[in-house]
Amino acid sequence: MNAGRSFIEMTINGEKRTVQAPPMKRLLDVLREDLHLTGTKEGCGEGECGSCSVRMNGELVNSCLVPVLQAEGASIQTVEGLASNGKLHPLQQAFLDCGGAQCGICTPGMLMAATQLLAHNPHPSMAEIREGLAGNLCRCTGFIRIFESVIAAAAQDVEQQAQETPHAR
Amino acid sequence: MTTHATNRIVGSSVPRKEGVDKLLGRARYVDDIDLEGMWHGATVRSTIPRGLIRSIGFDRSINWSEFAAVTAADIPGSNHIQLIAADQPCLADGMVNHCDEAILLIAHPDKHRLREAVNAVHIEYEPLPPVFTIEESERQNVIVWGADNLLKNFLLEKGDVDSVWSGAAHIVEGEYRTGAQEHLYIENNGVIAEYTAESGVTVWGSLQCPFYVHKSLLAVFDLPEDKVRVIQTETGGAFGGKEDYPSTLAAHAALLSMKSGHPVKMVYDRMEDLAATTKRHPSRVRHRTALDHEGRLLAMDIDLATDGGAYSTLSSTVLSRATLHSPGPYVCPNVRVRSCAWATNTVPYGAFRGFGAPQAVFAIERHMDEIAAAIGLDPIELRRRNFLHDGDTTATEQVMREPVILDQLLDRALAESDYHARRARFAHENASSPIKRGMGIAAFYHGSGFTGSGERYLNSLAGVDVTPDGKVRVLVSSTEFGQGTNTILTQIAAEATGLGHEDVIMAPADTGIVPNSGPTVASRTAMVVGRLIERAGLQLVSLLREHAGLGAHYSRADFFAACDRYRAVQGAVVSLCRYEAPPGVFWDDQKYRGEAYPAYAWSIHVAQVAVDTVTYSAEVEEFWAVQEAGRVLNPVLAGGQVEGGIAQGIGYALYEKVLLQNGHMANNQMTNYIMPTAEDVPPIHVYFEEVPFSHGGYGAKGIGELPHDGPAPAILNAIRDATGVRCNTIPLLPEDLFHKLAAGQTVEEATAV
């Protein structure tokens, strides 16, 4: 039954996790099906919409395009790893306050892209925000309030939260 | 606190009710849910646009005993999807009428086994000649639907158009076309269904209208009402695309569940969703308009045609709204609109934000600029001279009894956008630049709620109850799919009961729990359902005063203590209200005359567009939207509706093309169906003027669809301003603009006669 499966060890949101999965299984499916982290969403399955965005070793990736084998030993942050100690991450709070989320299906990926952006550029210009979020499609908001959310979060001290290595919980 | 403290919660930007769950990634969309023993379903679809099914063969390479398979023969009730008419089969039976029509369903415990199995089903057809365009369908050489291909037609007449032409100072004609548009909600269509002999059918799904799905399942399964239950799960965008299609998908999953004996999940991937589900109706609108020497409208003769696809679905009501929005926000003594929805062999077109209005508004607002050019009048001035005002009558002879503030909206739009100064500057700069800039406007209304007698037929019921643990619950079948239903209805209930927003929750959108407050469509939730919740909340307070000793001034604790006393005697604390039409509303469905809508929202859009004459790209650089949609219940959510609608409208105008090849969508991927990204959407400036509507929830009218109506004509009018070239067809892609500009066409399509 476990023929063709490999043991893959990853650090997910600061926690060591081991899964037994076919090596070419998409990281997206491993997160959702094996680890029950369903916050990460599938929108297109071909790397266009960014709904499945997660941070892997400090890079933003489309988890629908990553075979889990490639994530062996990696440190991965998903939307479930943003809030800590029951407190929303400043980006989550800003999205709530500014209307950055409507239907919410692009939101986890959008939050990860915004986290990645602020980790490397704590005070981005509007052009840099647009570029940083260009791989994440939102059909509800027209992006305007997402931009405002990122600006509001950047106005706070988010550098601490946006470290490349996620906090252990 | 008192119940008269308006402005307390309504009108404030309280955070989205389900926002925290969405931000934490713990909101449960249908694909996030697994049931014990659940199987997965897939669909075998037609590969031809029209023909007879000769045979269905199963490849022996597959061990079919592991699978459940369902055909039309397995349907226990009626093989149709119940909507307005009953012409669309749940599963094709002997004949297919469009590509990607569902023929056979299969299910298996492992979803990864499904693709191979779908490909191992071989269907042989005897092809029949298909029809793909409005023109082919109206020629009626090949009949593909009914006796004449005509899904629906309307005739709207005011005055006597034909008596005007000979004495008119100007007659201007034009033809305008719009393409299909895909909703592109980021969450694809999906459901889970469970059938048992004892309980009947239960469906969980991503959907807008639980009672539409409920009604449709009753017919397919021939079950009584209490044996079908539909529960909406968190829904990742809809825009009309989950109004009727979930009825089909729910029936499919439920049939597979009945056959397999397991709950069955069906979640489409993007390619299947794009290929097989509804889109916006393509349209062709012809205008012939007579004016006097001063540029006042004398007659409007409008010929409107839509492509409805293979089955009637919602085409009649989309056509109705297109018809009623086609004359624009103008006064004209003589109006004739002849409209037809034609059948073709494509996936049925369906509901999409605006529901016929964006097509109609594109035509009239593009045409107004062509009239202005033809008669030598400024496009702003032409509109001003013809705007509807209070007391005027529309094309259906509806008297404008509520204030109409189009002039005020226009003044504000011109001021905020610095329209005249920018236009003058661009005219100067364009002469020496390969980048040509222009300004364009659109003026329009959107009727809130169902058309004509629709709300009376719906006869919606909604209300509130109070749970023993001290929460007021809003009881509606109105659903949240991003637009803010949960938040505004709980705001209204909190306002009416004098409680805090945190004291009010939504009951689950579950047909087994909530009354039928109607479908979540037609910009009706804030106005119609909101009003029901306002009334129900006020009625609850009255009940508690009358029967449970609640005082004139009360605290939160007083309120819930009164609820406990009421519950002890009455068993439950419930307050329900049924729809009541505003007084004096009359509508004649035969003559298409009277109060077409209980209220209208009004808007002016201004677009600044840059056309690059080297690359032939058109870019919207800045956008202004001024609107009056009654009372604004939640400024952040309302602003978000306007911005999101405008972004979709920009896509409709310049990016989004559904490419059909032999009736199949050829670009059914996000890679090549292109919507505006974060780098494409311009700064959007949103302004509200508020005129409370006395029959809307705390004064609200509809806001959801309005912003999608204006961007396309405003943008193409700006391109006309920038280049002098008339572009009367959307989507307008760079290759289209290349043909226009390279050909140097500045006079065609619209002709001054």
Side-chain angles (χ1 to χ4, degrees), chain B residues 306-381:
Chain B
T306 62
D307 176 350
Y311 299 108
S312 62
T313 64
L314 293 164
S315 285
S316 61
T317 46
V318 169
L319 187 70
S320 165
R321 191 171 279 270
T323 302
L324 294 166
H325 286 71
S326 65
Y330 305 110
V331 182
C332 184
N334 303 287
V335 180
R336 178 170 59 205
V337 188
R338 288 174 284 200
S339 58
C340 296
W342 295 100
T344 59
N345 295 108
T346 54
V347 172
Y349 294 100
F352 189 161
R353 193 178 201 167
F355 206 73
Q359 293 94 320
V361 172
F362 174 72
I364 179 62
E365 283 306 283
R366 199 61 277 294
H367 188 58
M368 288 301 275
D369 268 35
E370 292 310 323
I371 292 173
I375 71 174
L377 197 62
D378 181 85
I380 303 290
E381 183 56 28

Side-chain angles (χ1 to χ4, degrees), chain A residues 32-33 38-39 41 43-44 46 49 51 79 92 95 101-105 111 130 138-140 142-143 145 147, chain B residues 16 22-23 25 29 31-32 111 182-183 186 236-237 270 482 639-640 643-644 648 656 669-671 675 678 681:
Chain A
R32 292 179 53 84
E33 295 170 8
T38 55
K41 307 301 183 189
C44 68
E46 56 174 343
C49 75
S51 299
V79 70
Q92 291 170 317
F95 270 63
Q102 288 190 20
C103 84
I105 196 80
L111 285 168
R130 287 174 178 276
C138 171
R139 189 59 155 171
C140 293
F143 302 98
R145 276 158 215 273
F147 301 153
Chain B
R16 173 173 290 280
K22 287 175 172 175
L23 289 156
Y29 300 80
D31 202 21
D32 303 335
K111 72 175 176 187
E182 162 57 33
H183 310 85
I186 305 295
R270 181 60 60 181
E643 291 151 5
Q648 289 181 349
E656 300 181 31
Q669 289 174 266
M670 280 186 169
T671 305
M675 62 162 268
V681 172

Side-chain angles (χ1 to χ4, degrees), chain B residues 173-220:
Chain B
E173 296 178 355
E175 181 179 301
Y176 307 89
R177 287 173 182 266
T178 63
Q181 186 184 21
E182 162 57 33
H183 310 85
L184 220 72
Y185 32 68
I186 305 295
E187 181 205 29
N188 293 314
N189 270 285
V191 302
I192 298 170
E194 183 166 30
Y195 175 91
T196 64
E198 312 79 60
S199 316
V201 176
T202 306
V203 167
W204 296 260
S206 176
L207 49 92
Q208 289 177 237
C209 310
F211 280 99
Y212 278 11
V213 178
H214 184 265
K215 184 177 173 186
S216 178
L217 289 169
L218 295 182
V220 172

Side-chain angles (χ1 to χ4, degrees), chain B residues 560-579:
Chain B
F560 287 108
C563 288
D564 290 341
R565 293 193 293 276
Y566 188 93
R567 187 181 298 106
V569 178
Q570 306 283 343
V573 189
V574 187
S575 168
L576 294 172
C577 287
R578 197 171 280 286
Y579 178 73

Side-chain angles (χ1 to χ4, degrees), chain B residues 233-298:
Chain B
T233 51
E234 198 71 70
T235 295
F239 315 114
K242 295 170 185 173
E243 175 171 346
D244 67 308
Y245 196 81
S247 296
T248 301
L249 184 53
H252 290 174
L255 288 166
L256 282 171
S257 177
M258 188 175 69
K259 192 71 178 271
S260 68
H262 292 269
V264 171
K265 179 190 275 190
M266 294 184 82
V267 175
Y268 289 167
D269 67 15
R270 181 60 60 181
M271 290 182 78
E272 183 171 26
D273 193 285
L274 284 171
T277 74
T278 62
K279 317 257 178 284
R280 185 185 299 289
H281 289 69
S283 77
R284 180 198 66 203
V285 185
R286 293 172 176 146
H287 276 269
R288 185 165 198 246
T289 311
L291 302 100
D292 68 12
H293 286 288
E294 280 74 47
R296 289 197 175 77
L297 293 167
L298 296 177

